[in-house]
Every structure is written in C-alpha cells, then in structure tokens.
Amino acid sequence: MPNSQIRIYTQKEQGEEWLRRYRGYLPVFACVLGFTETGLIPGISAAGRTPEDRKYTACADAEFLYYGPEHKAQYPLPPLAAGASPVLISRAVFESLKIPVHLFNAGLPQSPAVPVIDLGGASAKCLSAGAAMEITIVHHLFKQGLLWGERLAASIQQGYLIVGECVVGGTTTALAILTGLGIEATGKVNSSHPVCNHAQKWALVQAGLEKINLQSQSQNSIDPLQLVAAVGDPMQVVVAGMAIAASRSCGVMLAGGTQMLAVYALISAIVQAYALSWQPEAVVVGTTRWVAEDPTGATVDLALNLGKSSLTQSAGIPPLLATHLSFADSRYPQLRAYEQGFVKEGMGAGAACIAAHLSQDWQQHELLAAIEAQLERLSTALN
C-alpha cells in the first residue's frame, strides 16, 4: 500500500516497487555543495536577497544542516525576499531520525565553516560564456563522484542513499544541460521565484550554447562531460558519478526537482558515452509537491521528456516522487510563503520528508511540528 503522503508522478510501478523495497529503512544523506557565477546575476534566483547574499547561501545552509539553530553561525542563513530556507525542513527530519549527513564541497568560492569533504573542484563561471569550468576539473569531479558513491554505498546495509544539492542558480545550469542533451526543457524548469523567470534563464542558456556551437555537432557526438565544462556547474557531475556508482549496490534518491532531472539526463548520457554500468531501476527522483505541481513550470512534462532524446533514452524516464507536505496551516508566514510558490525545494528537503514517511510513517502533522520547532528555535536563538 503506497504511503498517502508520497505521490508518484511518473513510472508508477517502478516507483511503488522502490518505495516497497525501502519502507522501514533509514537513508544516508550526502549533500553536494557547488557554485556558479550564474547565481550572481540580478534577479536570477530568490535563494538570497542580493547577489552578495547568494555567494554564501550554500555555506549557510550547510552550517545550519550540520549544527542546527542554536549554533552561532559564521555564515547565517541569508535573508530571502519571502519564505524560509528549505534547510529547516531537512534539518528537522535528519535531526529527529538521526540520519547520517555527509557534506561535500564540489566547488565553492569559500570553505564552509563545517566539516566537509573537499573534492578539489572549483566554482563555475557564468554559463553564458560557454566556458564554465576546465574540462580537467570536470573529469576529476566525476571520478570523485564515482569514488564517493561507491564508498557511501558500502556503508549502507539495507537502506538507500539520498543525494541532495545546494547550488544557487542551479536551475539555470540545469536548463543548459537538458537543452544541450537535446531535451525539450524550455519553459518547463522551476525556480525559487513564485513565477519562474523563464525568459531570463533561456537567454543565458542560448548565449552559452551558441558559444560552443552545439548546433554544428551532430546530437550523438556531444561529450556530456564537455557539455558540463561548457555550461554546467560542479555539483552536477559529482552527483552523477555518485548515483552511477551507488546504484550498483543500493537504492538512490536524487533529492530535488529540475536540477536532479538534469543530473538524471546527464547520467544517462554519460553511461552511454563512456559505456559504464549502473542500475537505473535503483534510482528515483524525490522532491516536494511545490516543485512537482509548480504551475509556472512543468516538472512532470520535463521528466517524461527525458526518454525522448537519443542521448538519454537508454535510461528512459525516472520515477518522480514528491512529499505531500503542506504549509497551508502553518502558524509561520515564512512557511506559508511556500504555498505561494516561494523557495519550493533545496538541501534535500523533499527527499527528507519522503524518508520520514517511509521509515517512520510520519504524517503531515508530525512533519509540520518538527519543522516549526526548528523555526521557533532559530527565532529564539537570533533574539
């Protein structure tokens, strides 16, 4: 009997089988932090009120996830135009359920003030120049992803691995990767804004893809790692490597919406281009209802389109799952803002809720109480 708190939007049977298999088990959480200068463009993201704030969003989220609300943060959570950071959701679940958390720095402008595994990556430049990262760094990060995916999976007896991310501007690099892989994604991605800034994203992506002149290459000759170097961000290739390696021995939930659908497409293209083995049936994408049902994006359509490109059709379409968490009855306006379309997802928030439903059968009221308690503790700590 599928949990009423989890909805499956695509590949229903495969999704139900995955949920049945991991019911009652706890996951291990890996969060990959990265940065792209795309996130500094005015108006591109609502994950931090100003471009300066957004430089530190990943460090702030990592610190809160690791230490919780009482810790005096070196990088406090940045002010948002509306809403509250999704890390409150993740922290509420991981703290209550004692889920192990591993943080990875794939490429940040500064080191977070928490114990992180530094992967020796680098921040990406703005994708509009078509030269976001050095190809040597991309290859290095992919190898690190494979290595850590294998290591993390080896520590998991019967559970599964959740891989989350924090990359401000990451839905724009996701659009670039999806488009570069021949997937119809224009107007379908999400954002942290209540109404997605599709035109702004698309203009940047077109500029970046034109610089690398994808049009002149035949669709089948695109090297997916070269594409990441041109228009991607450091998180994407690490998560792709982790999921490929971990899928060989345990379940994997890619935690996020647009960004993780782009990673799934990237995985499909990489395993095809480099003849790597993996287990696609072990991998699902887990997000929030606010992403899956975002009226200004088309997440389900996007997931269905993953099976249509010659570069990604080998893996087909992933099961897209979402928690039915609602903040409509929250006593906090910062949480109710999610119901107006602000923030939506990040730091593995949707997957954390799915994990709470799956392992402890948490219902709406238990999730809401735990999340509100985090916000209350944070407000007390700040006053």
Side-chain angles (χ1 to χ4, degrees), residues 255-280:
T258 301
Q259 285 171 267
M260 287 306 174
L261 289 173
V263 167
Y264 190 90
L266 191 58
I267 292 168
S268 313
I270 290 170
V271 295
Q272 207 165 298
Y274 291 90
L276 299 176
S277 69
W278 75 307
Q279 299 296 324

Side-chain angles (χ1 to χ4, degrees), residues 192-213:
S192 46
H193 292 290
V195 175
C196 185
N197 48 332
H198 291 299
Q200 186 184 19
K201 289 179 189 298
W202 183 237
L204 291 165
V205 168
Q206 273 185 305
L209 293 177
E210 273 164 19
K211 302 271 191 331
I212 57 171
N213 205 4

Side-chain angles (χ1 to χ4, degrees), residues 301-330:
D301 273 4
L302 183 57
L304 294 171
N305 281 356
L306 262 49
K308 294 178 184 170
S309 163
S310 60
L311 291 173
T312 60
Q313 67 197 156
S314 62
I317 299 158
L320 175 67
L321 321 175
T323 168
H324 256 227
L325 173 65
S326 167
F327 286 149
D329 299 329
S330 174

Side-chain angles (χ1 to χ4, degrees), residues 33-34 54-63 108 112 166-168 347:
L33 313 168
R54 296 197 287 273
K55 276 185 197 165
Y56 306 105
T57 299
C59 289
D61 281 348
E63 216 173 324
L108 291 172
C166 186
V167 182
V168 176
M347 293 298 289

Side-chain angles (χ1 to χ4, degrees), residues 149 153 242-252 277-283:
M242 277 184 180
I244 289 167
S247 75
R248 296 166 186 162
S249 58
C250 73
V252 178
S277 69
W278 75 307
Q279 299 296 324
E281 66 285 350
V283 182

Side-chain angles (χ1 to χ4, degrees), residues 6-369:
I6 304 169
R7 182 153 174 212
I8 307 171
Y9 293 84
T10 58
Q11 305 295 68
K12 208 162 171 50
E13 278 177 31
Q14 191 186 329
E16 277 169 3
E17 179 52 42
W18 195 98
L19 291 173
R20 259 195 305 276
R21 180 162 182 189
Y22 295 107
R23 187 171 306 288
Y25 294 114
L26 279 176
V28 165
F29 181 62
C31 192
V32 180
L33 313 168
F35 187 79
T36 165
E37 288 176 7
T38 313
L40 299 178
I41 292 170
I44 196 73
S45 169
R49 193 174 290 166
T50 66
E52 188 59 24
D53 291 333
R54 296 197 287 273
K55 276 185 197 165
Y56 306 105
T57 299
C59 289
D61 281 348
E63 216 173 324
F64 189 92
L65 186 69
Y66 196 85
Y67 290 117
E70 283 79 22
H71 172 75
K72 184 154 177 37
Q74 185 178 325
Y75 298 106
L77 291 173
L80 306 180
S85 171
V87 75
L88 287 156
I89 302 172
S90 314
R91 170 74 195 184
V93 171
F94 298 151
E95 182 182 44
S96 302
L97 273 48
K98 300 183 171 49
I99 288 170
V101 170
H102 303 271
L103 297 167
F104 294 87
N105 178 358
L108 291 172
Q110 62 285 310
S111 292
V114 287
V116 290
I117 296 152
D118 196 314
L119 299 175
S123 298
K125 297 189 176 74
C126 181
L127 66 87
S128 60
M133 287 180 283
E134 298 289 336
I135 188 66
T136 49
I137 297 255
V138 174
H139 281 282
H140 169 76
L141 285 173
F142 181 60
K143 284 185 184 134
Q144 288 290 307
L146 288 170
L147 175 80
W148 281 100
E150 194 174 326
R151 276 187 194 167
L152 291 166
S155 71
I156 294 169
Q157 299 307 299
Q158 288 176 297
Y160 55 100
L161 177 66
I162 295 177
V163 192
E165 56 70 37
C166 186
V167 182
V168 176
T171 55
T172 308
T173 49
L175 175 62
I177 294 297
L178 288 159
T179 307
L181 292 174
I183 292 155
E184 180 47 61
T186 323
K188 298 186 188 307
V189 301
N190 306 103
S191 78
S192 46
H193 292 290
V195 175
C196 185
N197 48 332
H198 291 299
Q200 186 184 19
K201 289 179 189 298
W202 183 237
L204 291 165
V205 168
Q206 273 185 305
L209 293 177
E210 273 164 19
K211 302 271 191 331
I212 57 171
N213 205 4
L214 270 187
Q215 288 72 18
S216 68
Q217 299 181 35
S218 84
Q219 199 72 75
N220 294 326
S221 69
I222 295 164
D223 178 328
L225 296 181
Q226 291 275 9
L227 181 65
V228 173
V231 294
D233 67 59
M235 172 279 295
Q236 295 165 325
V237 71
V238 173
V239 176
M242 277 184 180
I244 289 167
S247 75
R248 296 166 186 162
S249 58
C250 73
V252 178
M253 183 179 295
L254 297 173
T258 301
Q259 285 171 267
M260 287 306 174
L261 289 173
V263 167
Y264 190 90
L266 191 58
I267 292 168
S268 313
I270 290 170
V271 295
Q272 207 165 298
Y274 291 90
L276 299 176
S277 69
W278 75 307
Q279 299 296 324
E281 66 285 350
V283 182
V284 297
V285 176
T287 188
T288 62
R289 172 180 63 84
W290 302 298
V291 166
E293 300 177 11
D294 176 9
T296 78
T299 314
V300 177
D301 273 4
L302 183 57
L304 294 171
N305 281 356
L306 262 49
K308 294 178 184 170
S309 163
S310 60
L311 291 173
T312 60
Q313 67 197 156
S314 62
I317 299 158
L320 175 67
L321 321 175
T323 168
H324 256 227
L325 173 65
S326 167
F327 286 149
D329 299 329
S330 174
R331 61 181 192 272
Y332 288 102
Q334 303 97 300
L335 295 180
R336 291 199 303 274
Y338 277 72
E339 300 298 333
Q340 277 84 59
F342 289 96
V343 191
K344 299 185 189 74
E345 166 69 291
M347 293 298 289
C353 297
I354 293 170
H357 301 316
L358 260 190
S359 63
Q360 309 295 311
D361 199 27
W362 272 24
Q363 301 298 305
Q364 161 71 21
H365 64 278
E366 289 153 305
L367 272 176
L368 184 59

